[in-house]
Amino acid sequence: MSVLTHLLSRAQAAVDPNARIDGYLPLECYGALGDGRSVALSGSDGSIDWWCVPNMDSPPLFDRLLDAENGGRFVLQPNEPFTVERAYRVDSNVLETVFTTASGRARLTESMNSGTAGRLPWAELARRVEGLGGQVSFDLVMRPGRRGDTVNPYHSTIGKHTVFHVERVLGLFVHDDAVSCDWADEGITGTLTVGPGERCTVAIVAGRDEPLVAPDIRQIDERIDVSDQEWRDWCARLTCPDGDRAAFLRSALALKLLLYSPSGAIAAAATTSVPEWIGGKKNWDYRYAWIRDAGYTIKAFLAAGAAAEAKAAFTWLLDQLRETGTRVCYTLGGGAVPDVSEWSMPGYRASQPVVTGNLATDQQQHGVYGDIFETAACFVSCGNILDSASAELLAHLADECADRWRTPDAGMWELQDEQHYTMSKISCWQALARAVELADQGQLPTTCRERWMRERDRVARWIEDECWSEDRQAFVMYPGSDKLDASLALAVRFGFDGRERLKLTLEAIDRDLGAGPFHYRYTGMDAEEGCFLACSFWMVEAWADLGFRDEARARLDRLTAALSHGNGVLSEMIDPASGAFLGNLPQGLSHLAHVMAIATLNEADDCD
């Protein structure tokens, strides 16, 4: 059995239940639960430490991830020493954790529930405990967070229900009769015990500024298995490579969690302020939708045969471009991302600041043109058709790209130092090349086709003349620099000319930016942050696209082995020395790069 069969879906055996460092759990110990609207992070020690209600970009109900001492959490944990094995159910985002103690074994099954008709019109987080042998007693704690002491939770009685309030969030704590619990304004504490064949279920039902449904605990318990079946049915409809099916589906399932179903937007990640280096200040809010990430994820969904998700995301993207123009990122509901503000919280392992909002929204990034047109080209290549309004919008964007490509920008990495970044120019070339192709296919008006073609060729000549370094034997990060940029691996996917120069650039990236199987984003980042996981998957894809299938396969196997200590949820970065995950999670860019690496490699295998 290949290493890839196990990638990110195997059980995590012998997890250290005391793995918290100063109260913080290593990021690789988290599993993600979701319902198409929000995502919860469940730790291997039975503590749910992050959940924004009702949406991914809402304020958090549980925020222990960023405040170990005072943060909100929902804990179900054996009251004696234990070991842990955990894994997602096959082809599902329902997560199972088996606790073993001296007195017995019990399984915790967790789900953000959906119904037979899809996402529920309320948030429902369900946790079922089943006895497998002996007896296991659990301590229960449900404590809403205070968001850096900006809100003060309390409880009240409405009709026959005791409810909790956190600012404008209203919630129910629903449980079996066998669960004993005590209420206070700060939250709930309690206990439950299970023996062989016994089970107890507890759940939170919550909403914000909306009437609250009060379901019976038996209905909630049944919906755990309904949700599991819905996930498996979705996976069964996907087109998966045979050899790497489990690995491919695990990342596809993670991407599905980041698809915000009310609008079709795709969140970059489900968290904010998780640092790119412990103690560093690179702590960003990624709970918004980037054009880049949306474009790449749409291509990943198309590669998986998830046409409905791809169409929803593409339509959302075009609507945003039509209504507000070419911003770098948008809120999940649409519109501009708010300015950055800070919460007075310790941050993950004392890494500050803790922020909401993002300043990237109004940056000038030429990469958005390539992302938009690559997405349109992929959508059309699957046999789909652009409507006249979308075609007109894309033609306008092609003209805009033709006008702006000579100006500097912030680059793919959203840097404050504006330059003529090589990857940005390649993205402009890519946009104009795809615009010409779409016009030739009758998908775009041909009025400006000749202009797009001439500008495409000018961009290509400029890149070849200005961005190639004979000394480095590589395309550099920008003209006059000796820095390298790992994102240039994407130039191979985009079909940029110059096979030999691209091969030499990949070799230079390995030499200068490589750290074991991983890669830093660009020169100098080894002193500031971890390795960027997507870059290493892009390298796999690039070598496969260039025809070096065995090399690409070996790289993917090495990445698989180096990531196998996680639960199937990839973060943004990794410390290459310790293997510790870094940055926000689940990180869409990491998962979609993984999907595309597998898809491209298996395509190469099929063509062999």
Side-chain angles (χ1 to χ4, degrees), residues 3 43 60 75 83 91 94 125 131 151 172 178 180 198 207 224 258 266 302 328 331 356 366 447 503 523 535 546 554:
V3 176
V75 182
T83 58
D91 297 355
V94 173
L125 175 57
V151 298
L172 281 168
S180 172
E198 296 177 340
I224 295 175
L258 296 172
I266 297 168
L302 289 170
V328 172
T331 65
T356 62
H366 295 336
T447 308
K503 177 177 177 292
T523 303
C535 290
L546 287 176

Side-chain angles (χ1 to χ4, degrees), residues 476-514:
V476 291
M477 192 173 186
Y478 53 87
S481 167
D482 62 355
K483 293 182 178 180
L484 296 178
D485 179 356
S487 72
L488 285 166
L490 287 169
V492 182
R493 177 202 293 180
F494 299 158
F496 186 71
D497 293 337
R499 172 188 170 90
E500 186 57 33
R501 283 187 168 186
L502 290 176
K503 177 177 177 292
L504 290 171
T505 300
L506 296 182
E507 292 171 349
I509 289 170
D510 271 334
R511 286 194 304 271
D512 283 35
L513 304 181

Side-chain angles (χ1 to χ4, degrees), residues 29-154:
C29 292
Y30 284 108
L33 313 169
D35 62 354
R37 190 170 174 183
S38 190
V39 172
L41 295 184
S42 169
S44 57
D45 61 355
S47 180
I48 291 178
D49 291 345
W50 184 258
W51 185 29
C52 296
V53 177
N55 306 319
M56 272 180 277
D57 56 357
S58 299
L61 177 63
F62 302 133
D63 52 11
R64 189 185 189 186
L65 181 70
L66 302 175
D67 185 349
E69 183 176 356
N70 296 312
R73 78 282 308 268
F74 183 10
V75 182
L76 271 176
Q77 187 178 91
N79 63 7
E80 59 181 308
F82 59 87
T83 58
V84 171
E85 294 178 273
R86 66 185 337 215
Y88 283 100
R89 287 186 178 181
V90 175
D91 297 355
S92 176
N93 276 322
V94 173
L95 183 63
E96 293 187 335
T97 305
V98 175
F99 296 100
T100 301
T101 71
S103 61
R105 296 175 71 241
R107 177 170 54 233
L108 171 64
T109 303
E110 301 174 284
S111 170
M112 287 276 287
N113 279 344
S114 57
T116 53
R119 180 180 58 80
L120 297 171
W122 61 84
E124 185 172 287
L125 175 57
R127 312 183 80 186
R128 174 199 292 161
V129 180
E130 300 171 275
L132 302 178
Q135 278 200 333
V136 183
S137 294
F138 286 78
D139 289 329
L140 183 153
V141 176
M142 195 290 290
R143 188 169 90 184
R146 301 200 299 262
R147 304 177 200 161
D149 290 334
T150 61
V151 298
N152 211 15
Y154 66 98

Side-chain angles (χ1 to χ4, degrees), residues 155-395:
H155 76 286
S156 68
T157 300
I158 301 178
K160 64 178 181 178
H161 298 290
T162 302
V163 298
F164 63 86
H165 307 258
V166 186
E167 193 223 6
R168 290 153 53 192
V169 170
L170 174 66
L172 281 168
F173 182 73
V174 191
H175 58 85
D176 287 320
D177 292 339
V179 180
S180 172
C181 58
D182 297 312
W183 277 83
D185 281 340
E186 293 77 13
I188 302 168
T189 58
T191 59
L192 63 90
T193 301
V194 290
E198 296 177 340
R199 75 185 193 185
C200 289
T201 300
V202 297
I204 295 174
V205 177
R208 180 182 174 90
D209 291 339
E210 57 185 308
L212 196 61
V213 170
D216 183 87
I217 191 63
R218 289 169 295 182
Q219 297 173 317
I220 295 174
D221 182 78
E222 290 172 0
R223 277 196 285 268
I224 295 175
D225 298 313
V226 168
S227 303
D228 178 55
Q229 186 62 54
E230 290 294 313
W231 286 119
R232 287 189 281 126
D233 290 345
W234 183 74
C235 286
R237 294 191 293 269
L238 300 185
T239 303
C240 304
D242 293 334
D244 302 327
R245 182 180 183 278
F248 186 90
L249 284 178
R250 181 48 51 207
S251 275
L253 283 161
L255 291 175
K256 179 70 168 171
L257 291 179
L258 296 172
L259 179 66
Y260 181 66
S261 60
S263 68
I266 297 168
T271 58
T272 178
S273 307
V274 184
E276 297 176 0
W277 194 255
I278 301 303
K281 297 186 181 298
K282 290 186 174 182
N283 310 329
W284 319 117
D285 191 348
Y286 279 3
R287 299 171 301 152
Y288 306 112
W290 269 252
I291 286 182
R292 174 196 62 202
D293 296 52
Y296 292 177
T297 306
I298 290 165
K299 183 167 185 177
F301 276 139
L302 289 170
E309 287 77 8
K311 195 274 180 185
F314 189 37
T315 298
W316 171 85
L317 179 58
L318 292 173
D319 285 345
Q320 295 309 303
L321 292 167
R322 188 176 295 112
E323 292 171 11
T324 63
T326 51
R327 296 181 182 273
V328 172
C329 56
Y330 305 88
T331 65
L332 300 183
V337 172
D339 290 337
V340 172
S341 60
E342 295 186 16
W343 278 333
S344 179
M345 298 173 71
Y348 181 79
R349 295 184 59 190
S351 302
Q352 294 185 332
V354 172
V355 302
T356 62
N358 198 292
L359 295 177
T361 182
D362 290 323
Q363 278 189 339
Q364 180 63 35
Q365 292 184 28
H366 295 336
V368 299
Y369 298 115
D371 299 336
I372 293 162
F373 276 93
E374 191 69 22
T375 302
C378 290
F379 184 77
V380 165
S381 70
C382 294
N384 301 312
I385 302 168
L386 295 176
D387 62 287
S388 58
S390 297
E392 182 180 354
L393 171 66
L394 290 168

